[in-house]
Amino acid sequence: MIYELMYGQPPFMALNPMEIFQKVINQKLLFPRVFDEGAKSLIKHLTCHDLTRRYGHVKDSENKIKNHRFFEGTDW
């Protein structure tokens, strides 16, 4: 969702949902050169295939996300 909101299109596109699912599983997430580095880093952490490292599955995920550089300056 962050990717789509920032870039204007989803990272994976296809005509049917199963094709999109296969792309999510099998293809590397690519970012345009103009993509914000903080957002890119956060998205990589949120979509990491390794569940032991993925934000949302690791201990203290809420704070890791809130303290990520993408949200620098956000008053939570």
Side-chain angles (χ1 to χ4, degrees):
M1 181 106 176
I2 296 169
Y3 185 105
E4 190 168 349
L5 288 169
M6 295 193 74
Y7 192 58
Q9 66 185 42
F12 303 105
M13 292 189 287
L15 294 178
N16 77 53
M18 194 58 171
E19 287 179 51
I20 295 170
F21 177 74
Q22 289 299 321
K23 288 181 178 188
V24 169
I25 298 299
N26 297 313
Q27 291 184 3
K28 183 177 179 179
L29 181 57
L30 301 176
F31 295 88
R33 268 188 242 145
V34 298
F35 213 88
D36 177 80
E37 288 298 320
K40 182 177 173 180
S41 172
L42 179 62
I43 292 167
K44 283 183 174 185
H45 280 96
L46 290 168
T47 61
C48 181
H49 282 234
D50 181 353
L51 292 179
T52 65
R53 295 180 28 226
R54 184 189 303 170
Y55 283 10
H57 289 272
V58 296
K59 184 178 180 177
D60 201 32
S61 283
E62 181 181 335
N63 286 322
K64 289 181 185 300
I65 293 167
K66 284 176 145 182
N67 293 321
H68 190 277
R69 65 183 161 149
F70 178 73
F71 292 114
E72 186 176 342
T74 299
D75 181 9
W76 296 98

